[in-house]
Amino acid sequence: MPMQPRYWFAAKRYGWGWGLPLRWEGWVTLCVFLTLVAIAGVKSMPQRPMLFVLLVSIATALLVLVCYLKGEPPKWRWGGKYGA
């Protein structure tokens, strides 16, 4: 019997993308993202707001990449049982 993949992030029930983490690796990823955003805010705001925007954009792109690689396959979902 083939093993099912162990996704870090669940697919959203409505729309496209991912919701809350399913596994501890996903929670660590989310905590690292939030920590990076907080550090960027402390180090760059309010003196350099464009640097803050750049750093948050990079952190967000990395989070989306991890979600894409380690989360359930993304597709548009209209609700229903188990996001189908």
Side-chain angles (χ1 to χ4, degrees):
M1 184 158 70
M3 290 183 58
Q4 290 186 334
R6 299 181 73 168
Y7 297 119
W8 292 6
F9 298 91
K12 290 172 45 176
R13 181 173 285 181
Y14 295 96
W16 191 92
W18 304 272
L20 290 175
L22 294 172
R23 302 181 42 78
W24 69 268
E25 294 96 335
W27 285 107
V28 169
T29 302
L30 186 61
C31 288
V32 167
F33 168 76
L34 293 173
T35 302
L36 289 174
V37 170
I39 291 171
V42 168
K43 295 291 185 179
S44 64
M45 290 299 282
Q47 298 86 2
R48 297 177 286 183
M50 292 309 295
L51 178 62
F52 174 74
V53 171
L54 176 67
L55 294 174
V56 170
S57 298
I58 292 170
T60 301
L62 291 173
L63 178 64
V64 170
L65 178 64
V66 171
C67 289
Y68 185 80
L69 295 173
K70 295 295 188 174
E72 289 185 80
K75 66 178 182 179
W76 191 263
R77 298 172 195 274
W78 297 98
K81 190 172 184 179
Y82 307 115

